[in-house]
Amino acid sequence: MILFEVFLGGLLLGGMYGLIALGLNLQYGVARILNLSYGEFFMGGAFTAFFTIMLWKLNPLLSLFVSLPIAFVINWLIYQYLMIPLVRRAADQDALDADVVLVTFGLFFVFQGLALVNWSGDLRGYSFLSSPVHLVGATVAFNRLFAFLAACALAFALFLVLRYTRFGTALRAMTIDPVAASLVGIDVRKFSALAFAAGGALAAASGMLVSTFISFSSTIGVEYTLKALIVVILAGVGRVTGTLAAGLVLGVVESVGGYLVDPQLTIAINFGLFMLVLLLRPTGLFTRA
Amino acid sequence: MSGPGDILLSIRGLQKAFGGLVAVRDLSFDIPQGKILGLIGPNGSGKTTVLNLVTAEFAPDRGTILFKDRDIVGAKSFEVCRMRIARTFQLVRVLPHMTTRENVMLGRMFGSAPTVPAHAAKEADALLDRVGLKPRAGMFASQLTYIDQKRLELARALAAHPELLLLDEWLAGLNPTELKIGIDLVRQIGREGITIVMIEHVMEAIRALCHRVVVMNAGERIAEGTPDSVLSDPQVIQAYLGGSDAAA
Amino acid sequence: MLELLRRNWGISALTALGAGLLALVPLFGSNYVLSLFIVLYANVALATAWAFFSGATRYISLATAAFFGVGIYTLAILHVYVSIPLAVVGAAIVGFLVALVVGLSTLRLRGVYFVVFTFGLTELVHQVLNWWEIKINKTVSRYIFTDVSNVNIYETLLAVTLITIVGSWYVSQIRLGFALRAIGEDETVARHTGVNTTRVKILCFALSASVMALVGAVLALRYPYIDASIAFNNTWSFQVLIAALLGGAGRAWGPAMGAVPLVLLSEYLAGSFPHHFSIALGLCFVVIVYFLPGGITRLIERFLHSLKAARAGMGGHG
Ligand SMILES: Nc1ncnc2c1ncn2[C@@H]1O[C@H](COP(=O)(O)OP(=O)(O)OP(=O)(O)O)[C@@H](O)[C@H]1O
Ligand SMILES: [Mg+2]
């Protein structure tokens, strides 16, 4: 029974991981940019929610009206003014990757440094919707369930957009083959910038949702960048449903593994899984060979 | 040691599929020592894949590749090179931030008879002279024109002292004057006893150089013979029909 | 080797002279100066070792901290049983062996995957070791009992640094160096021109790792105690990478040119404004990519080149 509760906790956690990774997969899948400063927008979203409830005594959900547009704009600017010059000058994907890794790591340091200077490195947290609810015999905090459901709803919405709108069709085409996409008249640069910006906004949204039930600090970003990255690699680049599924796998493995082995080893378990997939199935678990 | 007339490379029942697509299907042909073999066929017929199988870029699904009577399937690319099989690439691949000379030195230093840089440099200069690149020996390879990069690739391949040279559309994209020089160069290399397999769309070059021609279509060998007989074969013309390259 | 020295006698003589002068620093320098130099040497050696492999092959490794930490831990464990010099050498060997294993499994990953993998490796080792110490050994930290003086550490690190720089330059002049560069330029071509790419990569990765472990072991002699967070601190990986690229990873002297200003900056900022150092480091990344792709050495080479050209021009007129 305890194992079931652990499993359920893992599923809820995994939904969150899926959500966190969705934005990164949008950025990496469509714009082909691996943004290692991704987690800083997650951190930003968490802090905005924190200030909204603690300073201004407002519902933290309202913080989304601030953090989403800001994250969207900053990411759009990053793509437009920092990434496009790199894309232009890169001889091949390898060269581009090397530059992108350096620049986005640099941004990570800058954003994290700014956060540390302004908000210090203290651990923060607040309580919101934390009443317990009963779910098929197990007890979970409502905020976790809420975040999970919100994650599923967002993923579903993204899925619908990608499937049924012209914008989505363009993005899917670009994920499969950017050159062919540009040949059929898709403005690849413009859509890449939009997808990249939307990915950043998703990071902020997931930061807000996760902040309702975890404590966080200015340095939390990199941990979530890595988790998102693990999920993206598990899922396969550019896959929405796969991302959610991979998030669930990671959440369950982490919870159950941590429970069975040692909760102190969760990061090690995460990385273990990650390295295994990377070595054995580098195209992802949820892709056809 | 193999002498003139012996079979240098013998391919038997070679097969390679990418997912569902069979790029090379049950292919067999031989090439005697010292001859020039043309490998032709429409786009996507599997020519480059054959080269990639011989040089172990890919492992074949089935079949044998006998080089000097020895099955080389399973050898690594670098081992194939050390057995004296050298190649060029269809899409030119030079090492952009190394000088022209260093590019050629590389071919010499790790090939069949490894040597130190100082010695390799001397030989590299001689080879560069031969392909007409001597004046640009100190330039970065990325600064060379397309044609010069192709020359550089040939020099790099020759630097490995090959017995078998595999050229993948090495003459493509040359203007008539350059083509003439290129054909002469390949002929000269052939006269020195180096066996050559050349993939080519330029039929003029095929006619001028090749002793035999193998025609591929959709991964299969559809004809083999002397250039003249093969190029008048109705089946070959049919395969090329619509392919603009056939006119060249 | 002698032939190479003769052809480059100018820079060789300069290096020897510089080394001689640096070896005399402990006679005059205060303890603070000595410590600063020790940190400098450690960074220079690490950055040079990093550039030796990653600069040439373009396999950007973030595992520096992992190998550095392996060195620290090996020393901490071994120094109880064997003499210090033996423990230090042991650390280098362990670093080499660990890198062999890691290299065998990871060096077929390219690009971003390799970067992330090496980054994750440090975290993984860190966590597992931490857990091991707490759960199995029931300790958090290990004490290091030595009476090795700062002067000894200084001279040892100076020697290690010089050997690393000269060794890395030497390798760049022989076949192995060409093979490494060829791999960075186009691995497929390297393979098809007869380079045993797997062997070259793994050997050089392990060589570079053994220097990192060696530096870790020597530095560990200055710590009263160590724990997993001290040993496996990712900051090392980033700082070393930036130092190498800032200086220019393509030249033997490049990483040193980058490490020196970076260490001085961190000395200046780290005490009073630690977060500002992180911002400065981040900006360094960005500046390098957009404005200094070849690092400081390329800048200097350009400058010298234009100087020469200008002088030639003047000679023509005069
Ligand atoms: N690495 C690969 N992965 C998947 N498919 C491949 C790969 N290499 C080649 N193919 C496919 O195999 C088929 C044969 O390709 P190949 O390059 O051998 O043709 P080719 O005869 O050299 O054509 P061309 O004249 O255009 O150079 C093509 O359909 C190609 O798409
Ligand atoms: Mg081809």
Side-chain angles (χ1 to χ4, degrees), chain A residues 7-161:
Chain A
F7 180 79
L8 196 70
L11 272 187
L12 293 184
L13 189 69
M16 291 319 306
Y17 286 166
L19 175 64
I20 294 164
L22 267 185
L24 189 69
N25 213 346
L26 201 58
Q27 292 190 332
Y28 194 36
V30 177
R32 310 267 156 144
I33 297 289
L34 184 63
N35 178 10
L36 294 172
S37 70
Y38 180 79
E40 305 316 302
F41 297 93
F42 173 91
M43 181 265 290
F47 266 93
T48 319
F50 175 78
F51 289 130
T52 306
I53 186 169
M54 301 308 275
L55 284 184
W56 304 309
K57 315 278 183 242
L58 292 172
N59 186 322
L61 280 171
L62 292 175
S63 73
L64 290 178
F65 286 105
V66 181
S67 58
L68 289 196
I70 293 182
F72 187 92
V73 170
I74 295 181
N75 277 277
W76 189 84
L77 291 173
I78 290 177
Y79 186 82
Q80 202 68 18
Y81 293 103
L82 290 178
M83 295 307 147
I84 284 191
L86 297 183
V87 175
R88 276 218 189 98
R89 78 174 194 202
D92 51 35
Q93 186 70 35
D94 261 5
L96 178 63
D97 278 352
D99 282 347
V100 165
V101 164
L102 294 180
V103 171
T104 57
F105 255 133
L107 292 177
F108 147 61
F109 274 113
V110 171
F111 290 139
Q112 175 176 302
L114 287 175
L116 279 167
V117 169
N118 290 306
W119 303 330
S120 86
D122 298 347
L123 217 54
R124 318 284 179 133
Y126 59 89
S127 138
F128 177 69
L129 300 179
S130 51
S131 50
V133 289
H134 298 283
L135 200 70
V136 277
T139 313
V140 293
F142 181 64
N143 48 25
R144 281 182 184 258
L145 188 63
F146 174 75
F148 177 78
L149 293 175
C152 293
L154 268 171
F156 189 61
L158 187 64
F159 176 77
L160 290 182
V161 168

Side-chain angles (χ1 to χ4, degrees), chain B residues 47-48 90 168-169 199:
Chain B
K47 305 179 298 289
T48 300
Q90 181 172 351
D168 196 346
E169 302 194 20
I199 297 175

Side-chain angles (χ1 to χ4, degrees), chain C residues 8 43 53 55 66 71 112 123 154 171 180 189 216 225 249 270 294 302 305:
Chain C
N8 301 278
N43 275 277
F53 176 77
V112 185
E123 291 290 312
Y154 176 96
V171 170
L180 271 178
V189 169
Y225 71 92
R302 284 244 177 86
H305 194 78

Side-chain angles (χ1 to χ4, degrees), chain B residues 16-19 21-24 39-52 57-58 90 168-169 199-201 216 218-219 240 245:
Chain B
K16 176 72 186 175
F18 297 107
L21 178 107
V22 185
V24 174
L39 192 55
I40 66 172
N43 290 113
S45 54
K47 305 179 298 289
T48 300
T49 306
V50 172
L51 230 70
N52 281 334
E57 181 63 22
F58 307 130
Q90 181 172 351
D168 196 346
E169 302 194 20
I199 297 175
E200 205 49 75
H201 285 302
M216 289 182 71
Y240 262 108
D245 289 310

Side-chain angles (χ1 to χ4, degrees), chain A residues 254-255 257-267 269, chain C residues 127 131 135:
Chain A
E254 181 179 317
S255 298
Y259 171 74
L260 293 179
V261 189
D262 193 310
Q264 291 231 297
L265 281 180
T266 48
I267 293 188
I269 292 168
Chain C
Q127 276 250 323
W131 175 81
K135 280 283 139 75

Side-chain angles (χ1 to χ4, degrees), chain C residues 194-208:
Chain C
V195 178
N196 185 346
T197 49
T198 314
R199 203 169 71 189
V200 168
K201 280 189 296 182
I202 292 180
L203 175 69
C204 292
F205 187 59
L207 276 175
S208 141

